[in-house]
């Protein structure tokens, strides 16, 4: 499978715990994006990398959230001291700057904070 | 800022009916426009796209035309099937202005009855 993959697919945690999600983009894609989707809404942009550089962060990305892409390949999104309001689907997408920059999405990680 | 507005759902149709899902956008210049589809239990999939005015995107019998004069990108299909039941998202980005992130509408849930 050469699509975008995310791990885990589901995560249940207790309020106050830290969680980390991983995204593996399509191998030749140099751009990687994180979005958050809550029930009944469209995805909202969180942050974006080109290679290993984090080029844009949304105001939604509070200081409890941190994203990395250390070698320009996979990325991790960490949420510290989770809150119930963090419950959502976290989506990763990747694209190539050399083409029309169409973003392809992974299956998402569903986070439930109890 | 850039924004997308979709017709509110849910939309329920009978098989073989004609489908239109309205989408309008607010952006300066010429953004790229997309329709994504989310089938039950699956991730977002790109359905079609258009990158300049008067372009028509098409895929799987769906079509949408980029109308600059009405800032619209309505999704149409001549004869829907039960398998088209899903949530449809209109989105834009603006790579020409350095805005790579996708901005999504709220989604329209479509149910097709046999």
């Amino acid at each position: 499978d050469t699509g975008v993959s995310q791990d885990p697919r589901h995560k249940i945690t207790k309020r106050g715990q830290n969680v980390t999600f991983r995204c593996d983009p399509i191998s030749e894609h140099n751009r990687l994006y994180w979005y958050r989707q809550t029930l009944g809404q469209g995805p909202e942009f969180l942050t974006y990398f080109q290679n290993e550089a984090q080029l844009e962060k949304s105001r939604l990305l509070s200081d409890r959230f941190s994203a990395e892409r250390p070698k320009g390949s996979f990325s991790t999104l960490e949420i510290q001291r989770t809150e119930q309001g963090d419950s959502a689907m976290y989506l990763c997408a990747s694209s190539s700057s050399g083409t029309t920059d169409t973003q392809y999405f992974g299956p998402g990680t569903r986070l439930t904070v109890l | 800022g850039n924004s997308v507005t979709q017709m509110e759902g849910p939309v329920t149709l009978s098989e073989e009916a004609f489908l239109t899902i309205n989408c309008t956008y607010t952006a300066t210049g010429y953004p790229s426009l997309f329709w994504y589809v989310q089938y039950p239990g699956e991730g977002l999939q790109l359905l079609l796209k258009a990158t300049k005015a008067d372009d028509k995107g098409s895929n799987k019998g769906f079509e949408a035309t980029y109308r600059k004069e009405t800032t619209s990108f309505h999704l149409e299909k001549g004869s829907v099937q039960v398998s088209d039941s899903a949530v449809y998202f209109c989105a834009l980005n603006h790579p020409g202005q350095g805005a790579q992130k996708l901005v999504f509408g709220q989604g329209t849930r479509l149910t097709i009855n046999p």
Side-chain angles (χ1 to χ4, degrees):
Chain A
D1 184 6
T2 58
V4 179
S5 62
Q6 292 186 247
D7 184 70
R9 294 290 303 275
H10 304 272
K11 178 70 175 179
I12 299 174
T13 191
K14 294 182 179 179
R15 190 175 53 187
Q17 297 296 303
N18 298 344
V19 295
T20 300
F21 310 141
R22 176 179 172 127
C23 171
D24 287 89
I26 293 170
S27 58
E28 62 268 27
H29 285 181
N30 61 337
R31 289 179 172 162
L32 187 147
Y33 308 79
W34 287 98
Y35 294 84
R36 181 171 69 186
Q37 185 179 19
T38 53
L39 202 60
Q41 301 298 315
E44 295 175 295
F45 170 78
L46 292 178
T47 190
Y48 144 61
F49 292 85
Q50 178 157 316
N51 301 313
E52 64 275 10
Q54 190 172 18
L55 296 187
E56 186 175 354
K57 292 195 293 185
S58 163
R59 288 172 296 137
L60 293 176
L61 211 67
S62 76
D63 56 5
R64 295 186 299 106
F65 287 69
S66 62
E68 294 183 343
R69 195 183 184 200
K71 297 182 179 179
S73 56
F74 73 92
S75 175
T76 57
L77 177 67
E78 180 182 17
I79 308 174
Q80 296 182 329
R81 305 182 303 279
T82 52
E83 301 173 356
Q84 288 186 327
D86 297 331
S87 296
M89 178 76 84
Y90 290 84
L91 301 171
C92 178
S94 70
S95 71
S96 172
S97 60
T99 65
T100 55
D101 205 27
T102 299
Q103 293 178 34
Y104 296 90
F105 283 80
T109 294
R110 181 169 296 284
L111 173 66
T112 302
V113 181
L114 302 176
Chain B
N2 299 333
S3 66
V4 174
T5 302
Q6 289 182 234
M7 66 184 287
E8 291 193 17
V11 174
T12 302
L13 297 172
S14 297
E15 204 165 22
E16 299 183 3
F18 183 86
L19 168 71
T20 300
I21 300 177
N22 289 338
C23 170
T24 57
Y25 68 89
T26 300
T28 57
Y30 292 85
S32 297
L33 302 173
F34 305 84
W35 278 100
Y36 281 85
V37 59
Q38 192 168 37
Y39 297 103
E42 298 185 16
L44 281 168
Q45 298 177 24
L46 177 67
L47 182 59
L48 54 82
K49 65 182 182 185
T51 57
K52 57 184 187 293
D54 300 323
D55 267 2
K56 179 185 284 188
S58 61
N59 186 27
K60 299 181 180 179
F62 290 89
E63 294 182 340
T65 301
Y66 189 142
R67 300 287 189 200
K68 177 65 175 172
E69 64 275 13
T70 53
T71 60
S72 65
F73 193 55
H74 305 321
L75 183 67
E76 296 182 335
K77 187 175 186 182
S79 177
V80 293
Q81 306 300 313
V82 172
S83 57
D84 294 326
S85 298
V87 181
Y88 292 81
F89 293 94
C90 186
L92 69 79
N93 69 359
H94 220 320
Q97 294 183 350
Q100 308 298 339
K101 64 184 179 187
L102 284 166
V103 175
F104 286 87
Q106 75 271 30
T108 303
R109 180 174 298 278
L110 173 66
T111 301
I112 307 300
N113 294 321

